Amino acid sequence: MIIDTHAHYDDEQFDEDREEILGKMQDAGIGMIMDAGSTILSWDKIVKLTEEYPFVYGAIGVHPDEVGNLDETQFARMERLLDKEKIKAVGEIGLDYYYDFSPRELQQFWFRQQLRLAESVNKPVIIHSRDASQETFDIIKSSPVRRGVIHCYSGAWQMAKDYVDMGFFIGVGGVVTFSNAKKLVEVVDKIPIEKILIETDSPYLAPNPNRGKRNDSRNLQFVVEKIAEIKKLSPEDVAKITFDNAKSLFF
Ligand code: NI
């Protein structure tokens, strides 16, 4: 069985056939799915999915692109939603200096606030970081949070090691199958398998051979096979170990 530790089935790209796709997961060996919050509007959809599907769990948070919509009222609502049994993490939160959809100071402010919230409700975090590796690392390091995953990790292996040493997991998805993924292949090679989580970021980032198409969790087999090849393990072992890793973090 495989856990998809990061997906967005709340996304409108699944509006036409969400039920059909999610209905195929268990036969495809997908045992659990963590649906990560991105916008404030995603929260209620995620809670509903966790109520409808026994194998779907959720994270509640605001993506750095979206923090312009966050205020104290919504932040208080976020805290209440984190009380729910099937909401297992705060995420995805972090910094995105690639798109810069929100002013950087505002991104940093709400990133710190959400880290603090994770600490106070005692739940792990799901971190999004793009073109802001050092700033993300510094903010996490200066916080008390030491449980979480660096989702869709894209940095250098030395920083991955620093995260692992601090107690974090490294999230690996479809990008590892791309032909230009040298840096990520090196990270996967050097980081212990016990510190890797697998994820899709569905509907985005479909692995080869389905690159460019809408992604869903069934494509994780290609990610598992690629990691197995890099780590010289069987795909079954990669699935089992990463499943246990995710359970130890979220459950
Ligand atoms: Ni995501």
Side-chain angles (χ1 to χ4, degrees), residues 9 27 49 51 67 76 110 123 144-145 165 205 245 250:
Y9 286 103
D27 280 346
L49 285 172
E51 287 165 357
V67 291
W110 284 114
K123 298 212 169 168
V145 173
D165 289 346
L205 291 174
N245 297 346
F250 294 121

Side-chain angles (χ1 to χ4, degrees), residues 6 8 92 151 201:
H6 192 116
H8 302 281
E92 55 186 291
H151 142 66
D201 209 16

Side-chain angles (χ1 to χ4, degrees), residues 173-181 184-185 206-209 211 222-223 226:
V175 174
V176 76
T177 68
F178 298 171
S179 51
N180 56 355
L184 182 57
V185 167
N208 275 328
R211 188 173 183 178
F222 302 113
V223 174
K226 183 66 190 184

Side-chain angles (χ1 to χ4, degrees), residues 224-248:
V224 167
E225 282 165 13
K226 183 66 190 184
I227 294 174
E229 180 194 317
I230 297 166
K231 302 297 269 179
K232 300 185 177 66
L233 292 167
S234 70
E236 292 73 24
D237 282 345
V238 171
K240 169 154 196 342
I241 296 165
T242 55
F243 190 94
D244 291 344
N245 297 346
K247 273 184 101 171
S248 76

